[in-house]
Amino acid sequence: MHVLVVEDNPDTRELLQQALKNAGHVVYQALCVHDALRLSRMHPNIDVVMVDVHPGHRPSNVEVAQEMQRQLPNGHCVLASGDWDTLESSCMKDMTVLRKPYGKSDLLRALERCAARFGIAETRKIHA
């Protein structure tokens, strides 16, 4: 799968990239909204956009995820947040939710659920 990670924390972004690459995914990194939108236009083959949701950001990362889903012909979103109430009230039915704190196996299972829900072909099965 081709995965776009939208994460403003460089350490977290690097950990996510390594975990996803080690699982056989192609990973693009964005540190901000504008970077994510630019990358989604440059790489229309992105299957999943993983977005870290921060309450109070404008535009919200959920809104950004929705915009990227409109731009990407096959793009689907995994939303990650520690603010569970925000996730429950704001996420669309066609987005997968990943609740913080999460580990590598949780991350990979969320991608696997997203792939299964939307028929995204995976090159490798995830073993957690």
Side-chain angles (χ1 to χ4, degrees):
M1 268 190 290
H2 292 234
V3 181
L4 171 59
V5 173
V6 184
E7 170 61 60
D8 60 353
N9 181 300
D11 294 334
T12 303
R13 196 170 57 247
E14 185 62 31
L15 285 171
L16 291 170
Q17 178 189 14
Q18 284 304 110
L20 294 169
K21 282 182 78 172
N22 289 343
H25 303 291
V26 175
V27 183
Y28 305 97
Q29 295 183 46
L31 70 112
C32 66
V33 169
H34 301 292
D35 198 26
L37 292 171
R38 180 183 60 79
L39 285 169
S40 69
R41 286 189 296 272
M42 290 174 55
H43 301 284
N45 60 338
I46 292 171
D47 299 304
V48 176
V49 180
M50 178 157 178
V51 180
D52 188 22
V53 178
H54 297 285
H57 280 189
R58 290 290 165 233
S60 78
N61 288 358
V62 173
E63 292 166 333
V64 171
Q66 291 168 340
E67 176 61 28
M68 283 189 278
Q69 280 188 300
R70 285 189 287 274
Q71 287 183 22
L72 298 168
N74 301 311
H76 301 285
C77 290
V78 174
L79 300 178
S81 179
D83 186 353
W84 296 5
D85 293 333
T86 299
L87 279 179
E88 295 302 325
S89 65
S90 65
C91 87
M92 297 169 33
K93 292 179 186 175
D94 59 348
M95 293 185 185
T96 301
V97 174
L98 180 59
R99 294 181 174 169
K100 290 181 181 179
Y102 62 87
K104 179 181 172 182
S105 61
D106 301 318
L107 167 67
L108 298 177
R109 276 195 298 270
L111 284 180
E112 187 176 62
R113 280 194 318 272
C114 187
R117 283 178 64 199
F118 299 107
I120 300 168
E122 287 192 83
T123 57
R124 290 174 55 163
K125 272 296 194 192
I126 298 167
H127 302 284

